[in-house]
Amino acid sequence: MSTQQVKLNNWPFKNGEKAQLIWISSPFRQSNKIMIYAYFRANGKTEKLLADWGTLPALAIQHYYMNGDIRKSIAPTGTEEVEMAIYPSTVSYFEKEWSIYGTNDKDMSRSFIVSSNNKNYILPLIEVVRSILAPNRFLLYRLFETNSFPQYFIEQYEANKIHLDFSSLYHRKYTKDNFLYQLVWLLSNQDLRRVFENVAYTFINTGIVKFDWLFTKPITIKAIVKPSSNGGTILRITNVKNKQIPYSEISFSHPEIVRSERIGEAKKYTLHSKSGNGSQQTELTLDEEVEGATGNFDLIEMDNQMHEYVKLPKVTKIRRNSNKQRNFEDENTKRYFIDDQGRRSTSDVGGSNVAKGLENKSLYDIQVQGELGEFITVLKVLENYPEVQSINVIQGSLKEFSDTKRFVYLSDGVTERRYVIAEIVFYTNRNVSVIEVEREYKALSSLICLLNNQQDRSYCYQKILNGLINYHGTWNKEQLNVNNIAFLTLRHSRKESEYRAKKICEKINFLVYN
């Protein structure tokens, strides 16, 4: 295990003081993120800590933690490791209201009662989530999205083989073998998949993470158990065994996995740390106020669980077209400096990505004035709507698409006309793009587009904006229909940002449901 420490930002206890994790709350939505409360107790005092849902893989109930470092947990005394096979017929659901010791807070305790070797064990539902259904951050957050897998990959099945064609939304690090095995195990076992996909519907409708034990096959586990006279309580599952994947081969492709071709050109940009220290930091701090997780950081890298398979399928990586590899810098290379202070989040929203070109910038990284600045203000209002998961923005100049057309410039013939594309992601698995272009006295409406998962977004945006340029500032609706792009337009208003955000949301709902 790495010696790097990962500390909770709001750790309230003294250095060297052991604090016991006595409760993990039910997840809830706050500020467009899924959060939990972790209750720790030391020296007769219970403290309630807010944490991102993605921190769950590192939290083991009744275990002790020191100095806020959640990479290392200490099992309570008197525990033992037990191996058991859980058969569907021996499982029953149990829930009751729970008063959290040392506080005035109450929560609902949801567990399964598991019978094994003539003993009864309490298996917390939250432990089933983090150890069986969703043992990594990608799956943890997909639990709250309905039918969201097609956004991240397309499944193709052949005799004894599965192929996954990943989109750019699926982080490349999750193409490592252990992640692929877990994903394919979930996809290929229909009972597991049905339970997984039903969690989102229940949570959206009730705000509760709850499910029945619908698994049709036995699941073998090793677990840390606090024993009692007739069984005990399962505190942490350490190993899920005998997992079966019904394929001999898993093949996959990903936009970032390409053939590399070295060329004699300088790099377009490089990333550097302001500290000038390229070595790994010895301490990282989890901060629940940070909007999203850093790309190379994932708590599942902690060695706190094993998954064993009856037979591992062959994994084949399908590389796409060649990628130009630039190996040196020159005077035209842009140098981005990152002020990395070791603060991280396990959230799945936003992120600390450095902007590359004009794509996928955070809403709060956009600095524009005038009409487009007003549009950004509207988007910030819209982002606070409870149904909106995130908004990313693409901005640029119409001159990217033409050097000769008059409309790419404002009336002075010199200033380039700018555009902003807002990609709005909803918790209900809707993805809508709103395109705004500088009007400068022209009656040019906003364009609201609904693109399907199979469409290349960059290609569609290029087609749409080229059509606008060629039609001298008018949306080419015929071309939009030909390219199977569902759309609506929204005329501008002089009313306040809140009113305009409401109108955009109404238009989006009309476009999606009609």
Side-chain angles (χ1 to χ4, degrees):
M1 181 183 293
S2 168
T3 58
Q4 186 182 56
Q5 292 183 324
V6 180
K7 292 189 173 183
L8 293 174
N9 174 54
N10 45 2
W11 188 253
F13 302 103
K14 296 177 181 178
N15 283 340
E17 190 173 50
K18 289 199 303 183
Q20 187 176 34
L21 177 63
I22 63 170
W23 190 256
I24 301 172
S25 78
S26 304
F28 57 93
R29 185 169 288 138
Q30 175 178 298
S31 301
N32 290 340
K33 297 201 296 180
I34 303 297
M35 311 295 291
I36 54 175
Y37 284 117
Y39 292 80
F40 291 87
R41 185 171 177 83
N43 291 328
K45 185 178 182 181
T46 301
E47 296 284 357
K48 175 181 178 181
L49 277 63
L50 181 67
D52 286 301
W53 171 245
T55 311
L56 183 65
L59 300 178
I61 197 69
Q62 294 192 27
H63 283 55
Y64 291 89
Y65 295 83
M66 293 178 59
N67 305 330
D69 184 6
I70 56 175
R71 272 192 184 261
K72 300 175 182 177
S73 61
I74 304 168
T77 57
T79 59
E80 58 187 29
E81 188 170 55
V82 176
E83 180 173 325
M84 67 183 76
I86 304 175
Y87 291 88
S89 60
T90 66
V91 180
S92 60
Y93 178 77
F94 175 76
E95 68 177 37
K96 70 174 181 178
E97 190 175 67
W98 192 268
S99 296
I100 301 167
Y101 186 57
T103 74
N104 295 321
D105 294 354
K106 295 182 182 296
D107 202 352
M108 188 63 69
S109 171
R110 296 182 173 87
S111 302
F112 295 101
I113 307 300
V114 177
S115 297
S116 178
N117 298 321
N118 297 318
K119 293 183 177 181
N120 292 326
Y121 297 92
I122 299 172
L123 174 56
L125 182 143
I126 199 77
E127 186 63 22
V128 178
V129 169
R130 81 169 199 133
S131 301
I132 297 175
L133 279 182
N136 61 62
R137 196 175 65 221
F138 171 76
L139 291 175
L140 275 173
Y141 281 98
R142 302 297 78 74
L143 274 172
F144 300 101
E145 299 172 359
T146 58
N147 193 31
S148 66
F149 281 153
Q151 296 181 59
Y152 299 94
F153 53 82
I154 297 173
E155 306 162 53
Q156 298 174 354
Y157 295 91
E158 301 176 16
N160 218 17
K161 176 183 176 180
I162 180 174
H163 176 75
L164 299 175
D165 184 16
F166 292 110
S167 75
S168 58
L169 294 178
Y170 188 88
H171 200 290
R172 180 178 177 176
K173 68 183 170 188
Y174 291 122
T175 63
K176 294 179 181 178
D177 287 1
N178 58 326
F179 292 118
L180 288 176
Y181 295 145
Q182 175 64 34
L183 178 61
V184 172
W185 181 69
L186 175 64
L187 296 176
S188 59
N189 288 274
Q190 290 303 313
D191 52 346
L192 287 161
R193 185 168 183 170
R194 184 168 64 253
V195 171
F196 184 96
E197 293 179 340
N198 284 339
V199 169
Y201 292 101
T202 303
F203 185 76
I204 289 170
N205 291 321
T206 66
I208 297 170
V209 172
K210 178 180 177 180
F211 51 86
D212 295 323
W213 193 277
L214 300 178
F215 310 127
T216 59
K217 299 177 182 178
I219 296 174
T220 303
I221 64 170
K222 278 187 178 180
I224 302 297
V225 173
K226 185 176 182 180
S228 63
S229 58
N230 65 336
T233 300
I234 295 174
L235 305 184
R236 179 164 69 94
I237 295 175
T238 58
N239 194 343
V240 184
K241 305 184 68 177
N242 301 330
K243 297 170 70 170
Q244 293 189 359
I245 297 176
Y247 305 106
S248 61
E249 183 179 2
I250 301 169
S251 65
F252 72 92
S253 55
H254 189 281
E256 294 181 28
I257 298 178
V258 295
R259 299 183 184 89
S260 294
E261 174 190 355
R262 292 188 178 184
I263 61 173
E265 296 180 9
K267 295 180 180 180
K268 293 185 177 181
Y269 63 87
T270 56
L271 306 179
H272 303 271
S273 171
K274 284 186 177 180
S275 64
N277 182 7
S279 60
Q280 185 187 49
Q281 290 176 289
T282 58
E283 180 179 311
L284 299 176
T285 302
L286 292 185
D287 188 345
E288 74 283 352
E289 294 184 1
V290 176
E291 285 192 0
T294 299
N296 293 324
F297 180 71
D298 198 314
L299 280 177
I300 198 59
E301 293 167 2
M302 299 177 184
D303 300 326
N304 63 355
Q305 194 181 80
M306 292 180 61
H307 293 262
E308 297 180 11
Y309 298 84
V310 174
K311 185 178 181 180
L312 290 176
K314 173 186 176 183
V315 176
T316 303
K317 186 187 303 182
I318 308 297
R319 296 185 182 272
R320 299 187 177 185
N321 295 331
S322 63
N323 179 45
K324 295 180 179 179
Q325 188 175 8
R326 298 172 172 84
N327 296 311
F328 64 94
E329 302 176 32
D330 65 10
E331 66 277 5
N332 296 317
T333 301
K334 295 181 180 179
R335 296 166 63 87
Y336 292 94
F337 288 88
I338 308 167
D339 188 9
D340 188 353
Q341 299 176 349
R343 308 192 75 77
R344 297 292 189 271
S345 167
T346 55
S347 166
D348 199 46
V349 177
S352 57
N353 297 320
V354 175
K356 299 175 183 179
L358 298 172
E359 293 190 79
N360 294 327
K361 290 188 178 180
S362 165
L363 183 58
Y364 291 87
D365 288 337
I366 302 297
Q367 302 293 328
V368 291
Q369 305 298 321
E371 297 167 349
L372 296 185
E374 294 172 3
F375 179 59
I376 295 298
T377 301
V378 173
L379 294 178
K380 289 178 180 178
V381 174
L382 189 61
E383 191 180 41
N384 288 323
Y385 279 36
E387 62 266 39
V388 174
Q389 179 176 327
S390 63
I391 299 179
N392 284 328
V393 174
I394 299 169
Q395 68 166 346
S397 161
L398 290 185
K399 193 178 177 183
E400 299 165 23
F401 307 100
S402 173
D403 286 326
T404 59
K405 296 291 185 178
R406 179 67 185 84
F407 185 70
V408 303
Y409 301 99
L410 298 182
S411 59
D412 60 11
V414 176
T415 305
E416 298 174 15
R417 193 182 298 271
R418 298 169 299 168
Y419 68 86
V420 165
I421 303 172
E423 296 184 326
I424 307 172
V425 180
F426 292 83
Y427 281 105
T428 51
N429 195 30
R430 289 179 288 162
N431 294 269
V432 179
S433 299
V434 182
I435 302 179
E436 184 83 354
V437 177
E438 280 187 300
R439 302 186 306 279
E440 195 199 33
Y441 312 121
K442 291 184 67 71
L444 177 61
S445 300
S446 303
L447 184 72
I448 302 173
C449 307
L450 181 63
L451 306 179
N452 63 49
N453 293 324
Q454 282 71 46
Q455 290 174 304
D456 185 322
R457 292 182 178 274
S458 297
Y459 177 77
C460 288
Y461 297 150
Q462 182 178 349
K463 282 282 189 182
I464 292 168
L465 293 174
N466 268 324
L468 176 70
I469 294 168
N470 293 331
Y471 269 61
H472 311 293
T474 302
W475 298 115
N476 187 343
K477 297 180 180 180
E478 181 179 350
Q479 180 196 52
L480 292 170
N481 288 323
V482 168
N483 286 279
N484 296 318
I485 297 175
F487 69 93
L488 285 174
T489 57
L490 176 63
R491 298 184 64 179
H492 290 90
S493 165
R494 294 185 179 274
K495 295 189 178 181
E496 66 278 2
S497 301
E498 288 75 11
Y499 175 84
R500 291 176 61 189
K502 179 182 177 182
K503 296 302 290 184
I504 289 176
C505 200
E506 289 174 354
K507 283 280 189 176
I508 289 173
N509 287 330
F510 183 85
L511 180 63
V512 170
Y513 296 114
N514 291 277

